[in-house]
Amino acid sequence: MVEIKSMLNGELIYREDLTRELIIIRVKPDAGVADFIPGQYLAIGLPGSAVRVDWANPEVEAPAPDKIIKRAYSVASPPSEKGYYEFYISLLADGIFTSRLAALKVGDRLFIAPKVTGTFTLTDVPKEKSLILVSTGTGLAPYISMMKDPVTKDRDLTIVHGVRKLSDLAYQDEIKRFSNVKYQPFVSREDNLPSWCNKGRVSAYFMDLSPEQGHVFMCGNPDMIEEGEKVLCSRGFTVHSRKTPGNLHVEKYW
Ligand SMILES: Cc1cc2nc3c(=O)[nH]c(=O)nc-3n(C[C@H](O)[C@H](O)[C@H](O)COP(=O)(O)OP(=O)(O)OC[C@H]3O[C@@H](n4cnc5c(N)ncnc54)[C@H](O)[C@@H]3O)c2cc1C
């Protein structure tokens, strides 16, 4: 157990429970925050022996107690925040890692990868292009980092966030404070919504998009992304990769 303890190289310094299944956390790595580009992700982890939250479903097969379970998470804080990384995370009752993360308290230790990585960034997007940033659930995280970074300061941003319930709309107050950001929340499973909130799924938003409007980013649920790819490619968008630049950028969470 001594060895695995030495792999826990970060401390949970903040935890905000938005709902039972949604948290915002901040992790302070012992080695300090690495340089990164908004939109990138890194792995965090806990030992298989870590305690699970009491509302987790029973595990069919317990993971090895002496191994670190690692998962990828988009960084929600901007690179200028040097004290910690912020993450916006969905806790799953069946999740091998998140059922353990859910039981963590401020002051507890966890593994945090030394390097931040990923290509879901604004690096290849021409500066004059508007940005339409579409997400479901915690797929909002990379856009919060982008929004808070000087790279988007003088640009037109639209943040489209699809969730089931109004209470799942994290970061809404912060988003509304940015005058260059248009906020388009979609709530699918609740009625009597406030006037600033759309009823339905983010896929409704795809129907109004054309390539002249800018670059589209999609992050989160793979079903939403596949549906979006189908609709938007039929409207003239092309999926971006380093080798073949396009105007549709995707990050699937599973
Ligand atoms: C590049 C990248 C960045 C990511 N960033 C984030 C992030 O910022 N926040 C975040 O919450 N997750 C993020 N994820 C997903 C994360 O890595 C884990 O897959 C997730 O937390 C589940 O881990 P688990 O061990 O609890 O579940 P597992 O036991 O590994 O079960 C995984 C299964 O749970 C389901 N699942 C996975 N993620 C979700 C989700 N968010 N909502 C609902 N169902 C899900 C899928 O069916 C998946 O097959 C990211 C994934 C990738 C690849």
Side-chain angles (χ1 to χ4, degrees):
M1 215 42 212
V2 172
E3 256 178 50
I4 203 157
K5 256 192 166 171
S6 68
M7 292 182 72
L8 305 181
N9 56 351
E11 183 183 326
L12 186 76
I13 59 162
Y14 174 87
R15 170 177 174 150
E16 183 183 346
D17 291 67
L18 307 172
T19 66
R20 193 182 73 165
E21 283 97 14
L22 277 178
I23 54 170
I24 292 172
I25 58 168
R26 292 177 185 162
V27 179
K28 182 175 183 289
D30 298 342
V33 166
D35 289 338
F36 68 96
I37 305 170
Q40 291 189 310
Y41 65 90
L42 83 173
I44 59 176
L46 284 168
S49 58
V51 174
R52 300 178 78 222
V53 74
D54 58 8
W55 50 264
N57 294 330
E59 279 181 315
V60 180
E61 201 182 332
D66 55 346
K67 293 247 165 68
I68 300 272
I69 308 160
K70 295 177 190 169
R71 294 289 184 271
Y73 293 97
S74 305
V75 180
S77 43
S80 57
E81 178 51 71
K82 291 294 179 196
Y84 56 81
Y85 296 109
E86 183 164 296
F87 303 102
Y88 171 35
I89 299 182
S90 223
L91 304 172
L92 311 173
D94 286 318
I96 298 173
F97 175 70
T98 55
S99 66
R100 291 172 168 77
L101 182 72
L104 233 55
K105 298 182 296 299
V106 168
D108 285 345
R109 307 276 300 164
L110 66 168
F111 166 82
I112 182 142
K115 249 187 97 176
V116 193
T117 183
T119 55
F120 190 67
T121 68
L122 303 175
T123 308
D124 296 331
V125 183
K127 292 219 165 23
E128 71 282 4
K129 294 285 180 193
S130 297
L131 302 166
I132 299 150
L133 310 175
V134 183
S135 58
T136 53
T138 51
L140 178 71
Y143 307 146
I144 299 302
S145 180
M146 291 175 185
M147 176 183 83
K148 291 181 173 175
D149 190 80
V151 74
T152 56
K153 192 172 167 278
D154 299 316
R155 302 178 73 155
D156 279 340
L157 256 63
T158 303
I159 291 186
V160 186
H161 189 200
V163 296
R164 290 180 183 165
K165 301 214 157 178
L166 206 53
S167 55
D168 298 338
L169 285 176
Y171 293 102
Q172 51 165 296
D173 292 339
E174 282 189 79
I175 297 171
K176 287 174 186 167
R177 276 204 288 272
F178 281 76
S179 59
N180 61 324
V181 180
K182 289 190 199 77
Y183 182 43
Q184 288 284 353
F186 281 80
V187 172
S188 62
R189 297 205 188 155
E190 223 171 322
D191 295 316
N192 302 321
L193 298 168
S195 57
W196 48 267
C197 189
N198 305 287
K199 164 85 184 161
R201 298 188 317 129
V202 290
S203 48
Y205 198 81
F206 298 140
M207 301 305 168
D208 295 328
L209 294 176
S210 63
E212 298 72 51
Q213 287 167 271
H215 278 229
V216 174
F217 282 66
M218 296 192 289
C219 183
N221 183 317
D223 293 340
M224 177 277 286
I225 292 174
E226 278 154 32
E227 191 179 347
E229 274 181 5
K230 235 186 249 165
V231 174
L232 296 178
C233 289
S234 75
R235 292 176 149 256
F237 283 89
T238 51
V239 176
H240 176 80
S241 74
R242 274 278 150 87
K243 279 191 184 151
T244 52
N247 45 9
L248 184 54
H249 307 250
V250 302
E251 184 89 289
K252 290 182 185 174
Y253 272 3
W254 68 94

